[in-house]
Amino acid sequence: MCDDMKRGKLLFVRLKKRADFLRVGRIGMRHVSPGLILIVAPRDVINVNPSEPTIGIGFTASKKVGNAVTRNRVKRRLRAAVIEVMHH
């Protein structure tokens, strides 16, 4: 895992590597809706310390979303929204 972000009492671990996404996708549960696929897996899948309140989170965007600038903007906004919501 890479890039730990301390936000209050939660530690957000960003999933960045393809292997991390594949592992979560293989083991996790899926919820599919138009425009978004959410995959959730148990904490031990993301290889973090179980004693800390940790959430592993990662975003990908396909080329259907738009060019690289648009995809990066979408991912930045999703990260910001999730971090904002998870603190409440």
Side-chain angles (χ1 to χ4, degrees):
M1 295 305 103
C2 302
D3 225 354
D4 298 341
M5 299 178 282
K6 256 312 193 202
R7 303 282 189 212
K9 294 179 182 174
L10 283 176
L11 177 68
F12 287 82
V13 178
R14 289 188 48 204
L15 305 176
K16 287 187 166 183
K17 296 182 180 179
R18 177 172 164 75
D20 296 335
F21 283 97
L22 291 176
R23 185 173 46 252
V24 171
R26 188 174 51 249
I27 297 170
M29 296 175 13
R30 292 177 185 264
H31 174 74
V32 180
S33 65
L36 180 70
I37 299 173
L38 176 66
I39 304 173
V40 181
R43 182 183 314 181
D44 58 343
V45 173
I46 58 172
N47 300 327
V48 295
N49 185 356
S51 65
E52 293 184 13
T54 306
I55 295 176
I57 189 165
F59 297 98
T60 62
S62 73
K63 288 187 177 182
K64 289 181 182 180
V65 173
N67 63 14
V69 174
T70 304
R71 291 192 306 268
N72 289 334
R73 182 181 306 126
V74 167
K75 291 186 287 185
R76 277 194 310 271
R77 289 180 178 179
L78 282 171
R79 274 194 297 272
V82 166
I83 289 171
E84 183 68 30
V85 168
M86 293 305 288
H87 288 100
H88 299 296

